[in-house]
Amino acid sequence: MTTDAVISVRDLWKVFGHNAERVPRSAELAALSRRELIDRTGCTAAVREVSFDVAPGEVFVVMGLSGSGKSTLVRCLTRLVEPTAGEVVFEGEDILGAGRKRLRELRRRKFSMVFQNFGLLPYRQVVDNVAYGLEIRGAGRAERTRRAMEVIELVGLDGYEHSYPDQLSGGMQQRVGLARALAVDPDVLYFDEPFSALDPLIRRDMQNEVIRLHREVGKTMVFITHDLSEALKLGDRILIMRDGRPVQCGTGDELVAAPADDYVRDFVRDVPRARVLTLRWIMRQPGPDDELDGPELGPDVVVRDAAQAVLATGKPTRVVEDGRLLGVVTGEEILAVVTEAEAAA
């Protein structure tokens, strides 16, 4: 386990079916495909041998197609679904060993969840919906109203605090759900495909809202989605799952530049590479004829953002990190990526 990880998951399994615990214990059964396991045991392995760490303040995205196990995984992290085997260490504590009382405390104070289904209380005004978690925690009315009003303003709902859910649009209702999760000031926010039912424009606005809130409040977030563009937009790192197993985990540019297999390669095939790849992936070593007195950029600058600066100079742009020259980039490397993106479009 990484010592500074907020969440550390090790060899996590969730198997549904009779005598499910035998599956991860048996190397023979664990090696079977999903179909073979069902045929032989009647069990379904929704999550198989998943391991990852989430750093403080990170937006960690888990993505995959329907049936990949991503939603089951996030429910295992909060024990809304009980894992079959493995470890889920939250701030140094293996929560799989937590009793009911401790688990309630963790859910009330340490992590919150935002679902696709908003789950708002229809007979309560926005302010009381947002304050609900604080009410469950036992906070007084004045305290919970004050805190609710703070987060209502934070998510852009000021002026709607006395509205009822059925008076709000889908996007505004999701903002209420987000505010309710933030109100209890959790260490970690879990999102389970929260925007998948929203119209595309509202979905984009809510993605931008999550980015803004993360910038302002800095919460650690675990975000579940089936949408690669959403994953690339939101995630510091992305875990791609297939049939319950992790396929590849990395930053967006790592997935696009170095896909682990054909499955990931197909996933990222239509991604505009100039918007994702960084200079780290296209730089080359300086040649004997390169002039090295040109401008410099960092290795994590996205190609699209670097294009104008690189193309405007007649000299190689130095790629520098911590004062160390890593390589150079010229218009030739930039245009190769941009041209490739245009050809794909």
Side-chain angles (χ1 to χ4, degrees):
M1 182 185 75
T2 303
T3 55
D4 61 350
V6 176
I7 304 165
S8 187
V9 176
R10 290 293 176 268
D11 298 322
L12 191 68
W13 284 80
K14 177 56 190 178
V15 182
F16 294 97
H18 178 67
N19 202 12
E21 63 278 358
R22 63 184 163 152
V23 176
R25 292 174 183 170
S26 166
E28 181 183 359
L29 294 179
L32 297 177
S33 70
R34 176 173 288 186
R35 183 71 261 170
E36 291 169 338
L37 184 64
I38 293 172
D39 291 342
R40 181 162 170 181
T41 68
C43 293
T44 299
V47 175
R48 291 171 169 254
E49 297 179 294
V50 175
S51 298
F52 60 86
D53 293 321
V54 181
E58 182 177 20
V59 180
F60 187 85
V61 174
V62 181
M63 71 160 298
L65 301 178
S66 178
S68 63
K70 57 189 184 300
S71 289
T72 301
L73 171 62
V74 75
R75 283 168 166 77
C76 285
L77 301 185
T78 58
R79 282 185 58 191
L80 291 175
V81 168
E82 288 290 347
T84 306
E87 291 184 349
V88 178
V89 178
F90 182 91
E91 296 182 343
E93 175 184 359
D94 187 355
I95 68 168
L96 301 193
R100 290 184 179 181
K101 181 177 180 181
R102 177 57 180 160
L103 192 56
R104 283 197 301 270
E105 187 75 6
L106 288 168
R107 290 172 178 165
R108 289 177 180 178
R109 299 185 182 276
K110 289 294 186 176
F111 44 74
S112 292
M113 198 155 182
V114 182
F115 296 94
Q116 177 182 337
N117 183 343
F118 313 135
L120 304 182
L121 302 172
Y123 52 88
R124 289 194 173 204
Q125 296 177 351
V126 167
V127 64
D128 294 319
N129 265 285
V130 172
Y132 183 69
L134 295 169
E135 181 180 345
I136 294 297
R137 188 188 287 183
R141 182 164 187 84
E143 178 188 347
R144 61 180 189 258
T145 299
R146 177 192 59 77
R147 175 59 181 163
M149 292 301 294
E150 287 178 356
V151 293
I152 284 171
E153 182 178 359
L154 183 65
V155 302
L157 283 174
D158 42 321
Y160 292 93
E161 56 268 19
H162 298 302
S163 299
Y164 288 90
D166 63 1
Q167 297 173 315
L168 304 177
S169 67
M172 293 173 73
Q173 288 184 40
Q174 191 56 285
R175 286 175 187 261
V176 178
L178 183 55
R180 181 176 57 192
L182 286 168
V184 296
D185 195 25
D187 292 349
V188 175
L189 284 165
Y190 294 104
F191 296 84
D192 187 11
E193 300 205 64
F195 310 143
S196 60
L198 301 177
D199 293 336
L201 291 179
I202 299 175
R203 182 172 186 161
R204 184 183 64 190
D205 288 344
M206 288 305 300
Q207 291 167 355
N208 292 335
E209 188 68 14
V210 168
I211 292 170
R212 181 186 69 83
L213 287 171
H214 183 257
R215 186 169 58 244
E216 291 188 14
V217 301
K219 295 292 183 186
T220 304
M221 299 179 178
V222 177
F223 197 101
I224 307 301
T225 183
H226 65 271
D227 186 327
L228 179 61
S229 62
E230 185 168 74
L232 291 170
K233 184 174 183 178
L234 299 178
D236 294 314
R237 286 187 301 140
I238 301 165
L239 171 66
I240 295 181
M241 294 184 64
R242 181 186 188 187
D243 292 337
R245 296 183 185 275
V247 180
Q248 185 173 1
C249 183
T251 60
D253 58 317
E254 288 172 341
L255 299 181
V256 171
D261 60 14
D262 289 341
Y263 182 73
V264 179
R265 192 171 292 107
D266 285 343
F267 243 121
V268 303
R269 180 178 52 196
D270 297 326
V271 172
R273 292 167 65 84
R275 299 188 179 200
V276 178
L277 290 184
T278 60
L279 298 185
R280 189 185 301 276
W281 293 100
I282 68 166
M283 66 184 183
R284 60 171 175 80
Q285 289 302 305
D289 298 327
D290 286 327
E291 300 179 41
L292 298 181
D293 58 346
E296 66 178 51
L297 291 171
D300 296 321
V301 176
V302 176
V303 169
R304 183 187 61 174
D305 297 336
Q308 184 175 354
V310 174
L311 295 173
T313 178
K315 299 180 179 181
T317 296
R318 293 173 295 150
V319 182
V320 176
E321 184 176 46
D322 298 329
R324 184 167 58 94
L325 178 66
L326 302 181
V328 296
V329 174
T330 66
E332 183 178 352
E333 287 79 34
I334 293 289
L335 290 174
V337 177
V338 172
T339 303
E340 178 186 352
E342 291 176 349

